[in-house]
Amino acid sequence: MTEAVGTSGGLLSECGLPSSQMMKLLSADFTTTDDVKDMKPSELSQATGLSLKECVEVLRTASNSHHPSPVDMLQIYQEGSELPQIVTFCKALDTLLGGGIPLQAITEVSGMPGVGKTQVCLQACVSVQLPKSVGGVGGEAVYVDTEGSFTVKRLKDMASCAVHHVGTIGGVAEDVSGFTIESIMKGVHYFRCQNCVEVLAVVKNIPKLMLVHPNIRLLVLDSVSFHFRHDFPDARDRAKLLRTVTKELIQPAVTHKMAVLVTNHMTTNVKEKGSATLVPALGETWGHCPTLRLNLSWCGPTRVAALTKAPHCQNSSAYFQVSIGGLRDVSDNTQPSTAGNLQHEPLNKKRKIVESNDR
Amino acid sequence: MMESKGSHKWTKNILNELDINPKIVVCAKKGYVSASSILGASHNELEEKLGLSSFHIKNFIDAVTSHVLPKKTSAWDLSQTGEGDPKHITLGCQNLDNFLGGGVPAQGITEMTGQSGSGKTQIALQLSLCAQLPPVAGGLGKGVAYICTESQFPTARLQQMVKHFKAQHSKGPASYTDGIFVHHIPDMDSLVDCVRYQLPCLLSQRPIGLVVLDSVASPFRAEESNMENKNLLYTLGYQLHQLAATYHIAIVAINQVTSVIGNNNLYGHSGNVVPTLGLTWANLVTTRLMIGRTDSHVQAEQTEGSRQVKKSSSKTIVEYNVRELEVIFCPWLGKKSCPFVVTSKGIEDVE
């Protein structure tokens, strides 16, 4: 286990500079990017003996590289457990997820058409914006829509309920009064992508987007499968683009501490013996990417979420329902409700959000 | 032969459209000319293959990304412009329209599935008329492309419906039949070709707001259910979505059902029938509506449409089977059902 080196900038040797330049830099005692960052090309040239043109290149490369210095495991663990989670407003589901949808991780939500994958995404777009003073993440969301399932009206209904619940908890914190339907709707940045290259472009553009909106904490991709299951003119292209997207999605999660939420179709996997099972689409190329895999299905008239892959949660399941206000628990004494039966339970919600605050 | 707009956007050579250092263009011509190849490669791969500095590669990737990036908007902007509201086509029936939140969803692919004789084609015909009503009356104000894959287009029935429809709706085109373009396509390969090539042609030449596929099941059910045909089905659905997004049209696809043994609850709809074409197709459907007959009947007086028949003695009592329209799934509607009947006029509410 390496000791924490602190935040002294990345090592120049890891910036990909030609070895001849590295030799000269090292012999002039320049080892990290911090050592060179404030220098002028002419100064660097004089100190190292590199040409002016080479120095310009070195400075550019040094300022572009983002190499985090080695950090010890304890620090990573502490940071991770201190991160707030995105609640789903369904206690059973939050418990299943270990508190909510986690930041700094990729969560996949798979399921049959109509089971509620998009509803989970819309709920997360609202929940991520819950004010920090009530235990929320207080961040914004980016919604990448590939299928055209994004409905403004659904988002508005969920936002309205969330505002109501936060209102009942009370509090005069500034971020609570600023938590309005309008602010929530403005906090969901929307991209409609007509093909996989547009999806790639949006994900690659996240760092730039963060410069303008540094408070983004959720990236939703609904769905990853729609464009990638299409029969490409060249099958190798499809595999390569999928691998690239898979890799690119890790960046926002790790670097920007975002929660990445991705929906996926189900497909039939016919085994050799003739029996068929339902599995998330896109196979292993995609399968190893998500940290958490949540599968939604039906148990009679009730929706069920099952955790099929998780680093630290036990594999189990939770019942939930989709109401006008979003995801909710299935009550014991009422039937699983359809949209139209809003379950207003302000007291329970208060307890839930306060609980997440205690953690 | 014209594919739908935008399908080549990511495979064609975009180098000349970018505002970048000409040195990059020269190097990139070696094999990275399309958006998909450039964005699909890693930074390191591009550096290695093009022999350019990290700085140039970064600029190159940024330029391509900005070029391809779709417009950014927010949920708030969408709500203000009305772009984010789901679109509908009225059914001409108040109860049904209210139940569906304005009419049959006109976003993505709306599937109507159910047993034979349940009323799917009847609703499709009704929609073909309603779509031609102006937007103020709940229509799209445009024509319809009606693709028949099973039997002949029911011309006589349409004529009967048009007669009553004109009497009921004052605002509308002079000739409803002129606004319906009928194609007969029985096999799956021709169907996919039609959607890929002929439809975009038609859509760019005529004002068409609705495409009806009656039915999507028939051409595929006759064939083997192998990987190649599944891919073809997926291509069909995918292309339909592209058309809907590019030309802003509604797509209504009629599907059949097949019996299941035992309780099949995969879609949250417990019953003894399940829509055909499996998961491949279901994953492409935005809204799934199930139509079926019920055990109830209603009675009504059957009156002739002509106003000349007014003799009180010539009214006959007719029994209509009550049908049911059920929402199986829809991104903005809950699961519920609504009754309706099929009369000589077309689709009508149950009072």
Side-chain angles (χ1 to χ4, degrees):
Chain A
M1 241 196 288
T2 39
E3 292 275 18
V5 182
T7 50
S8 58
L11 294 172
L12 280 174
S13 51
E14 289 171 7
C15 291
L17 293 164
S19 43
S20 52
Q21 288 179 9
M22 269 319 301
M23 292 274 290
K24 292 190 176 160
L25 284 164
L26 286 172
S27 50
D29 263 334
F30 294 111
T31 45
T32 68
T33 57
D34 271 1
D35 291 339
V36 297
K37 81 176 175 203
D38 292 323
M39 297 195 77
K40 294 201 187 108
S42 51
E43 289 172 352
L44 190 62
S45 168
Q46 229 176 14
T48 57
L50 290 165
S51 73
L52 212 59
K53 193 174 166 200
E54 283 175 319
C55 288
V56 168
E57 205 49 68
V58 165
L59 287 168
R60 274 202 194 118
T61 312
S63 63
N64 283 345
S65 60
H66 294 287
H67 291 283
S69 43
V71 181
D72 70 88
M73 294 303 299
L74 185 62
Q75 196 169 341
I76 297 174
Y77 174 71
Q78 280 172 339
E79 276 178 21
S81 52
E82 275 160 18
L83 283 174
Q85 280 148 313
I86 303 175
V87 296
T88 62
F89 278 107
C90 171
K91 192 157 184 240
L93 198 48
D94 286 339
T95 310
L96 179 72
L97 292 167
I101 298 165
L103 296 186
Q104 249 180 338
I106 300 179
T107 304
E108 176 202 64
V109 177
S110 61
M112 299 293 276
V115 74
K117 304 184 289 293
T118 300
Q119 305 301 312
V120 172
C121 294
L122 294 173
Q123 180 68 75
C125 285
V126 172
S127 303
V128 70
Q129 306 194 49
L130 284 168
K132 285 184 181 163
S133 56
V134 298
V137 173
E140 295 177 349
V142 171
Y143 198 105
V144 182
D145 188 7
T146 64
E147 306 185 11
S149 322
F150 183 80
T151 323
V152 165
K153 185 181 180 303
R154 285 299 289 137
L155 189 76
K156 201 168 181 184
D157 288 339
M158 294 188 190
S160 172
C161 276
V163 169
H164 180 273
H165 286 314
V166 169
T168 57
I169 294 171
V172 289
E174 207 183 296
D175 59 355
V176 168
S177 55
F179 186 67
T180 62
I181 296 179
E182 183 175 331
S183 75
I184 297 172
M185 306 268 282
K186 284 185 173 168
V188 178
H189 308 280
Y190 178 83
F191 290 95
R192 178 79 167 92
C193 292
Q194 302 292 0
N195 54 60
C196 36
V197 176
E198 287 185 6
V199 171
L200 251 181
V202 172
V203 179
K204 282 195 188 240
N205 191 56
I206 296 280
K208 253 192 180 165
L209 191 62
M210 291 291 283
L211 295 174
V212 184
H213 302 280
N215 208 21
I216 295 175
R217 285 290 173 276
L218 170 68
L219 172 63
V220 173
L221 177 51
D222 182 18
S223 63
V224 66
S225 17
F226 186 71
H227 291 307
F228 287 95
R229 299 183 72 196
H230 174 49
D231 205 10
F232 282 35
D234 185 350
R236 290 174 306 171
D237 272 350
R238 171 167 71 168
K240 188 167 187 205
L241 283 174
L242 180 59
R243 276 198 300 272
T244 309
V245 143
T246 305
K247 229 175 43 169
E248 292 284 342
L249 283 175
I250 298 174
Q251 277 306 311
V254 169
T255 317
H256 304 289
K257 294 192 167 53
M258 282 190 204
V260 177
L261 189 59
V262 179
T263 64
N264 195 4
H265 295 168
M266 297 298 280
T267 188
T268 328
N269 186 22
V270 181
K271 301 202 177 116
E272 281 157 14
K273 291 162 198 164
S275 64
T277 49
L278 287 174
V279 294
L282 302 177
E284 281 308 309
T285 313
W286 160 256
H288 71 268
C289 174
T291 328
L292 243 68
R293 301 189 89 171
L294 198 65
N295 181 263
L296 310 182
S297 60
W298 294 97
C299 179
T302 319
R303 290 171 157 103
V304 160
L307 211 51
T308 57
K309 174 185 176 184
H312 49 264
C313 311
Q314 262 190 323
N315 287 13
S316 51
S317 51
Y319 286 127
F320 71 100
Q321 57 163 320
V322 177
S323 68
I324 274 192
L327 303 182
R328 296 291 185 270
D329 282 290
V330 175
S331 311
D332 288 335
N333 46 11
T334 59
Q335 291 164 22
S337 137
T338 55
N341 282 350
L342 176 55
Q343 313 264 326
H344 266 302
E345 292 168 351
L347 288 177
N348 288 345
K349 297 299 170 284
K350 179 175 180 172
R351 212 184 314 133
K352 186 167 44 251
I353 292 178
V354 165
E355 268 173 47
S356 65
N357 206 7
D358 287 347
R359 222 174 304 120
Chain B
M1 258 193 341
M2 209 174 74
E3 283 230 21
S4 35
K5 270 192 282 181
S7 66
H8 288 312
K9 208 160 54 162
W10 50 282
T11 49
K12 67 173 189 174
N13 187 327
I14 56 161
L15 291 180
N16 297 329
E17 297 173 32
L18 303 171
D19 180 23
I20 46 172
N21 192 321
K23 190 165 77 163
I24 302 176
V25 175
V26 166
C27 295
K29 277 186 176 155
K30 291 177 198 166
Y32 293 90
V33 300
S34 67
S36 76
S37 57
I38 300 163
L39 292 182
S42 69
H43 185 110
N44 289 342
E45 181 189 327
L46 286 174
E47 252 193 80
E48 205 186 295
K49 294 275 166 70
L50 301 186
L52 293 167
S53 71
S54 177
F55 173 72
H56 284 306
I57 296 295
K58 185 170 183 307
N59 281 355
F60 187 31
I61 297 176
D62 282 347
V64 177
T65 303
S66 311
H67 184 80
V68 174
L69 202 65
K71 179 187 82 163
K72 175 180 106 74
T73 177
S74 73
W76 178 254
D77 291 337
L78 290 174
S79 72
Q80 298 302 98
T81 59
E83 255 182 271
D85 296 334
K87 307 190 183 26
H88 309 268
I89 306 175
T90 178
L91 269 170
C93 305
Q94 200 174 38
N95 289 355
L96 276 174
D97 281 349
N98 287 344
F99 162 72
L100 289 170
V104 167
Q107 198 163 309
I109 297 180
T110 298
E111 177 201 68
M112 293 203 296
T113 186
Q115 285 173 319
S116 65
S118 51
K120 308 184 293 289
T121 299
Q122 299 303 311
I123 298 184
L125 292 174
Q126 181 99 351
L127 276 180
S128 302
L129 299 177
C130 291
Q132 300 186 58
L133 292 171
V136 291
L140 303 173
K142 294 188 184 171
V144 181
Y146 201 108
I147 302 176
C148 282
T149 64
E150 293 182 25
S151 44
Q152 288 293 320
F153 181 77
T155 324
R157 173 58 173 152
L158 184 73
Q159 300 285 21
Q160 182 188 38
M161 287 171 72
V162 168
K163 215 168 52 163
H164 295 291
F165 200 79
K166 276 191 157 166
Q168 247 185 312
H169 300 268
S170 51
K171 306 176 185 170
S175 165
Y176 283 95
T177 44
D178 277 354
I180 304 179
F181 301 87
V182 181
H183 309 250
H184 284 101
I185 303 174
D187 69 280
M188 63 180 189
D189 289 297
S190 312
L191 182 58
V192 177
D193 281 346
C194 171
V195 169
R196 279 181 124 152
Y197 307 116
Q198 286 146 357
L199 264 189
C201 257
L202 183 64
L203 292 169
S204 48
Q205 286 162 8
R206 313 253 180 198
I208 299 228
L210 167 68
V211 172
V212 177
L213 197 39
D214 186 4
S215 63
V216 63
S218 160
F220 288 91
R221 284 189 83 181
E223 309 287 338
E224 217 185 296
S225 171
N226 57 28
M227 213 54 228
E228 202 185 311
N229 293 345
K230 279 188 182 172
N231 282 340
L232 204 58
L233 179 58
Y234 195 86
T235 301
L236 175 71
Y238 188 80
Q239 290 296 340
L240 285 170
H241 271 285
Q242 300 286 60
L243 287 180
T246 311
Y247 296 96
H248 306 289
I249 53 169
I251 312 261
V252 170
I254 293 178
N255 195 3
Q256 296 162 358
V257 291
T258 185
S259 333
V260 274
I261 301 160
N263 194 14
N264 180 316
N265 200 21
L266 283 180
Y267 302 102
H269 172 255
S270 53
N272 49 13
V273 290
V274 87
T276 63
L277 303 179
L279 213 40
T280 312
W281 172 253
N283 277 323
L284 292 161
V285 170
T286 313
T287 301
R288 170 164 273 175
L289 303 172
M290 174 93 72
I291 290 115
R293 288 181 177 255
T294 65
D295 292 330
S296 0
H297 293 78
V298 285
Q299 290 183 339
E301 293 170 350
Q302 167 131 347
T303 55
E304 278 299 309
S306 141
R307 284 172 200 164
Q308 283 149 15
V309 181
K310 272 204 159 192
K311 295 184 194 153
S312 50
S313 56
S314 63
K315 287 192 180 145
T316 38
I317 305 289
V318 182
E319 230 183 39
Y320 294 109
N321 176 239
V322 175
R323 322 284 176 108
E324 194 178 63
L325 177 76
E326 189 185 347
V327 173
I328 304 296
F329 59 76
C330 175
W332 61 86
L333 294 173
K335 292 152 69 67
K336 37 189 179 153
S337 60
C338 182
F340 68 96
V341 285
V342 179
T343 68
S344 57
K345 294 183 190 168
I347 306 291
E348 287 190 72
D349 281 324
V350 173
E351 298 302 330

